[in-house]
């Protein structure tokens, strides 16, 4: 019995460490946000503006435009999209019980993109009462609905008797991605000039098109989805033991799966609708966090939201300054950082795929 | 206050696996379910734990389980599956805590370590679950299940351990240890139902034995009543001889003397 006291402490520590990480990551997010407001293609800096304000001077028109209409909405969108992608990845991985599941890799982002394109190109054909009802939200809602359909389909196809086949999931994802790519191509041919402009901006897969209108369009869906995901911690922990055992230890598995699927579709759909396809955030963030503080979803989910937002803001800063005054699409930055991590997981845990 | 299953029928497609089974398990007793491969043992446990669709009725401590919420069930009974897979790199102690989260012991911090100590794995608390051998993993899962229903009796109601082949990947010493844990849980007032393969362990540790064959209950009673030449030979389809050592009269079955 003497061993009890000795061994009881350490893994409390892992949970405690994850708790401490909340604060560290929140601090990192604040620092990243300040950096993001400070840096840009113009010489306008946050610090210069703040010192001006402190001395009671008014900001010039340009300074106000740069800060309030360009950098702030871009920052807000980075936080929303980064948090949404990282949380979606975490929830997907918990739901599919596999660290390689990610909305970008299994085609959900592609189909969400198709949804967005459909709404841009064919949105004019909808009855007025629908477009009147949805307003600015039409594109995010369409992306959400397409993402929802894909997530449900993928889960149905790849899960038999409570076991998810990774191979089936990845292959079905490839097929769905290819199909939506083709359909998107057809729609691009059908689009008129104005729609093509909208599409091109949208497809750049970056935060460059950030505006307050887009931020407002994406905010409700993403906050709802992330908020719902935060309630899934215990359920996803149980699900790690399989669906049957999750039910035996008291989870309402069907309800939890529905919330998980809705939350992934909502967060991914809205994120893709405003920023195009930004990959690998959903793979890298939860993987790093599991290495740092273990796989407990109760702490993993909030930490993923914070780290996802921080990383995307930093990736955006890199994208903005590395070839200034031009901009690198942020999807390139996240892929350069993220694809090796994906390969690394694949190589170190080969058993995941070859079951 | 017992666990009562009435006219349980289960079909997989057109194949009827259970053809109307009645089983009553009393708290304070270890009830073993035995039978040949494919006789429906695990399916019966699946029905009792509401893990698969069935017709019939199961009541737990006087309540129909069909009307109970998952968390209400989880507070009254814990289920040890035949095999356990774990998706993420949890440590052993974290796995045991997953059981605790669902039971009524709340977040009582000492229960997981005591449950691990009970299965003899307290020193493994910080290991990764994935690094364990099959037998060790099975014992950790037993500790998880024990943590979920740590007190065998709560608020005057017995709690239940439902074990699907709890000793299937264990060496003989740990087979005895695990069966002793099950018996102690029952002696303290809880109920235990275990699907068993080993007839000799069943003879030693079970208070009641249900013998299944082809989806029907062939016999139900104390080990001495049902572990007989006739019943076993019919159940398993081979000629089995039951003997009893003179001192305690517990029956034992030696496969050496069986003829197919």
């Amino acid at each position: 019995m003497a061993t009890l006291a000795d061994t009881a402490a350490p893994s409390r520590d892992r949970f405690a460490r994850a708790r401490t990480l909340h604060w560290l990551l929140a601090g990192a997010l604040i620092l990243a946000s300040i950096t993001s407001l400070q840096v840009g293609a113009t010489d306008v800096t946050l610090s210069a503006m703040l010192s001006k304000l402190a001395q009671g001077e008014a900001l010039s028109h340009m300074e106000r435009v740069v800060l309030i209409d360009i950098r702030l909405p871009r920052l807000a969108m980075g936080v929303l999209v980064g948090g949404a992608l990282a949380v979606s990845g975490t929830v997907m991985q918990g739901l599919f019980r596999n660290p390689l599941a990610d909305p970008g890799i299994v085609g959900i982002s592609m189909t969400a993109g198709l949804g967005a394109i459909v709404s841009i190109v064919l949105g004019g054909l909808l009855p007025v009462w629908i477009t009147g009802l949805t307003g600015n939200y039409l594109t995010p809602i369409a992306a959400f609905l397409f993402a929802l359909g894909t997530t449900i389909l993928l889960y149905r196809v790849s899960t038999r008797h409570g076991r998810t086949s990774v191979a089936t999931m990845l292959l079905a994802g490839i097929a769905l991605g290819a199909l939506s790519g083709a359909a998107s191509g057809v729609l691009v041919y059908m689009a008129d000039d104005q729609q093509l402009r909208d599409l091109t901006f949208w497809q750049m897969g970056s935060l460059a098109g950030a505006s307050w209108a887009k931020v407002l369009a994406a905010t409700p869906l993403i906050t709802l989805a992330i908020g719902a995901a935060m309630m899934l911690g215990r359920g996803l922990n149980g699900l790690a033991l399989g669906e049957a055992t999750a039910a035996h230890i008291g989870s309402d598995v069907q309800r939890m799966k529905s919330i998980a699927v809705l939350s992934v579709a909502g967060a991914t759909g809205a994120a893709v609708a405003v920023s195009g396809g930004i990959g690998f955030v959903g793979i890298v963030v939860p993987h790093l966090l599991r290495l740092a503080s273990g796989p407990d979803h109760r702490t993993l989910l909030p930490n993923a939201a914070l780290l996802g937002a921080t990383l995307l803001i930093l990736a955006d800063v890199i994208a903005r300054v590395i070839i200034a005054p031009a901009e690198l699409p942020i999807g390139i930055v996240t892929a350069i950082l993220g694809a090796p991590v994906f390969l690394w997981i694949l190589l170190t845990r080969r058993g995941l795929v070859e079951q | 206050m017992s666990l009562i299953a009435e006219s349980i029928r289960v079909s997989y497609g057109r194949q009827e696996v259970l053809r109307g089974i009645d089983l009553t398990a009393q708290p304070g007793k270890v009830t073993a379910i035995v039978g040949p491969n494919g006789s429906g043992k695990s399916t019966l446990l699946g029905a009792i734990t509401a893990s698969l669709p069935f017709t019939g009725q199961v009541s737990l401590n006087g309540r129909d389980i069909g009307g109970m919420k998952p968390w209400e069930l989880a507070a009254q009974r814990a289920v040890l599956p035949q095999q356990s897979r774990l998706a993420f790199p949890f440590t052993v102690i974290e796995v045991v805590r997953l059981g605790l989260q669902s039971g009524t012991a709340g977040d009582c911090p000492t229960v997981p370590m005591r449950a691990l100590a009970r299965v003899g794995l307290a020193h493994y608390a910080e290991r990764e679950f994935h690094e364990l051998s099959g037998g060790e993993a099975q014992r950790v899962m037993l500790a998880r299940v024990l943590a979920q229903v740590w007190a065998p009796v709560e608020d005057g109601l017995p709690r239940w351990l439902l074990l699907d082949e709890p000793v299937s990947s264990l060496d003989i010493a740990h087979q005895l240890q695990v069966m002793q844990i099950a018996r102690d849980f029952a002696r303290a007032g809880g109920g235990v139902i275990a699907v068993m393969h080993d007839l000799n362990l069943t003879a030693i540790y079970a208070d009641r034995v249900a013998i299944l064959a082809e989806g029907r209950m062939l016999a139900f009673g104390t080990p001495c009543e049902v572990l007989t030449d006739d019943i076993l030979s019919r159940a398993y389809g081979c000629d089995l001889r039951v003997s009893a050592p003179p001192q305690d009269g517990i029956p034992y079955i030696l496969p050496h003397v069986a003829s197919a």
Side-chain angles (χ1 to χ4, degrees):
Chain A
M1 282 297 164
T3 56
L4 288 191
D6 306 337
T7 40
S11 91
R12 276 277 149 197
D13 280 353
R14 199 150 93 151
F15 192 67
R17 191 157 76 209
R19 282 294 206 22
T20 320
L21 214 52
H22 290 341
W23 299 105
L24 290 177
L25 290 171
L29 178 57
I30 292 171
L31 285 180
S33 305
I34 294 171
T35 314
S36 161
L37 291 177
Q38 177 84 359
V39 177
T42 62
D43 293 334
V44 177
T45 64
L46 184 67
S47 43
M49 278 188 274
L50 286 180
S51 66
K52 245 177 140 179
L53 280 177
Q55 288 159 13
E57 289 177 48
L59 295 179
S60 72
H61 178 66
M62 190 185 76
E63 284 170 326
R64 241 178 299 152
V65 167
V66 166
L67 186 70
I68 293 173
D69 292 336
I70 298 178
R71 288 191 194 160
L72 262 182
R74 188 164 181 153
L75 170 64
M77 210 154 92
V79 172
L80 281 175
V81 169
L85 293 176
V87 169
S88 299
T90 312
V91 173
M92 278 278 285
Q93 285 149 36
L95 179 66
F96 283 76
R97 290 180 286 280
N98 192 288
L100 293 177
D102 171 74
I105 285 162
V106 297
I108 298 176
S109 301
M110 282 289 273
T111 48
L114 175 63
I117 294 177
V118 166
S119 77
I120 293 173
V121 177
L122 304 178
L125 303 177
L126 285 173
V128 179
W129 65 269
I130 293 186
T131 46
L133 205 65
T134 53
N136 278 342
Y137 301 109
L138 181 62
T139 302
I141 288 173
F144 161 69
L145 290 177
F146 275 66
L148 182 63
T150 316
T151 316
I152 293 171
L153 187 68
L154 272 178
Y155 195 84
R156 284 273 165 81
V157 168
S158 59
T159 305
R160 293 269 160 80
H161 309 299
R163 293 238 309 126
T164 302
S165 155
V166 193
T168 315
M169 174 186 75
L170 292 176
L171 292 172
I174 291 174
L176 286 170
L179 197 62
S180 6
S184 308
V186 171
L187 286 168
V188 168
Y189 266 102
M190 293 166 57
D192 62 30
D193 282 355
Q194 176 56 42
Q195 290 167 345
L196 271 181
R197 270 175 57 87
D198 290 349
L199 282 180
T200 318
F201 270 110
W202 174 79
Q203 275 179 326
M204 281 199 301
S206 85
L207 303 176
S211 63
W212 284 117
K214 279 190 180 179
V215 169
L216 288 178
T219 301
L221 206 46
I222 288 181
T223 39
L224 263 179
I226 291 183
M230 294 305 144
M231 307 187 310
L232 296 172
R234 280 193 173 198
L236 290 178
N237 280 350
L239 207 56
L241 292 161
E243 277 188 35
T245 301
H248 294 153
I249 64 174
S251 279
D252 188 339
V253 175
Q254 281 312 320
R255 185 167 156 271
M256 180 190 52
K257 272 161 53 181
S258 308
I259 296 176
V261 166
L262 281 170
S263 135
V264 166
T268 309
V272 169
V274 293
S275 68
I278 299 176
F280 294 105
V281 178
I283 286 275
V284 172
V285 167
H287 189 67
L288 291 179
L289 288 172
R290 275 190 217 105
L291 287 178
S293 60
D296 190 325
H297 289 89
R298 290 172 299 170
T299 47
L300 192 58
L301 287 162
N303 281 342
L306 292 168
L307 185 60
T310 309
L311 283 187
L312 201 70
I313 292 172
L314 290 179
D316 184 50
V317 169
I318 295 176
R320 266 156 37 186
V321 299
I322 200 160
I323 50 168
E327 255 189 43
L328 204 61
I330 190 172
I332 294 180
V333 180
T334 59
I336 287 173
L337 299 174
V341 177
F342 181 80
L343 281 177
W344 176 35
I345 304 176
L346 208 57
L347 290 174
T348 51
R349 299 189 57 192
R350 211 169 268 217
L352 284 173
V353 186
E354 290 160 8
Q355 353 180 286
Chain B
M1 293 298 109
S2 39
L3 196 157
I4 304 169
E6 286 172 301
S7 49
I8 302 296
R9 290 173 181 276
V10 176
S11 301
Y12 294 140
R14 278 188 207 157
Q15 174 88 13
E16 199 174 30
V17 183
L18 291 184
R19 307 172 181 191
I21 298 242
D22 298 296
L23 176 75
T24 299
Q26 301 290 346
K29 294 198 162 34
V30 175
T31 304
I33 302 173
V34 301
N37 295 333
S39 58
K41 305 184 293 289
S42 293
T43 306
L44 179 57
L45 200 72
I48 292 173
T49 58
S51 318
L52 44 84
F54 64 94
T55 62
Q57 206 186 27
V58 178
S59 70
L60 180 65
N61 295 340
R63 288 183 65 189
D64 184 352
I65 64 165
M68 292 171 77
K69 298 287 182 200
W71 53 91
E72 293 176 314
L73 283 168
Q76 292 194 19
R77 61 103 179 93
V79 185
L80 182 73
Q82 230 176 79
Q83 288 177 325
S84 296
R85 294 191 183 80
L86 186 65
F88 296 104
F90 286 97
T91 61
V92 166
I93 189 73
E94 286 169 344
V95 170
V96 179
R97 284 205 194 103
L98 290 181
L100 186 67
Q101 284 171 23
S102 59
T104 49
D107 273 331
C108 174
T110 59
V111 165
M113 277 314 293
R114 284 157 73 194
L116 266 185
R118 190 75 181 84
V119 300
L121 289 174
H123 53 296
Y124 275 31
E126 300 306 322
R127 291 261 198 111
E128 273 208 18
F129 183 81
H130 285 124
E131 294 166 358
L132 304 181
S133 75
E136 288 163 351
Q138 200 172 20
R139 283 152 65 206
V140 169
M141 284 301 166
L142 179 64
R144 171 181 70 74
V145 167
L146 286 174
Q148 187 179 338
V149 288
W150 185 244
V153 179
E154 195 171 70
D155 301 332
L157 288 179
R159 297 164 106 195
W160 296 81
L161 279 180
L162 309 178
L163 313 171
D164 196 353
E165 296 191 20
V167 296
S168 57
S169 37
L170 301 181
D171 60 56
I172 188 161
H174 288 114
Q175 287 181 358
L176 296 171
Q177 181 197 37
V178 164
M179 292 313 296
Q180 188 61 46
I181 289 172
R183 172 183 273 174
D184 290 348
F185 188 84
R187 294 293 175 268
V192 178
I193 298 181
V195 169
M196 297 290 294
H197 255 308
D198 189 316
L199 294 173
N200 288 317
L201 281 176
T202 305
I204 299 170
Y205 286 100
D207 301 299
R208 292 287 180 277
V209 181
I211 301 190
L212 263 56
E214 292 173 1
R216 293 181 207 282
M217 180 83 82
L218 201 63
F220 183 73
T222 64
C224 288
E225 287 164 1
V226 300
L227 296 179
T228 63
D229 293 359
D230 177 47
I231 295 175
L232 289 180
S233 300
R234 267 197 292 151
Y236 287 90
C238 69
D239 197 8
L240 288 167
R241 293 273 168 274
V242 181
S243 317
Q247 66 274 50
D248 54 8
I250 295 173
Y252 70 89
I253 298 99
L254 272 181
H256 307 73
V257 293
S259 54

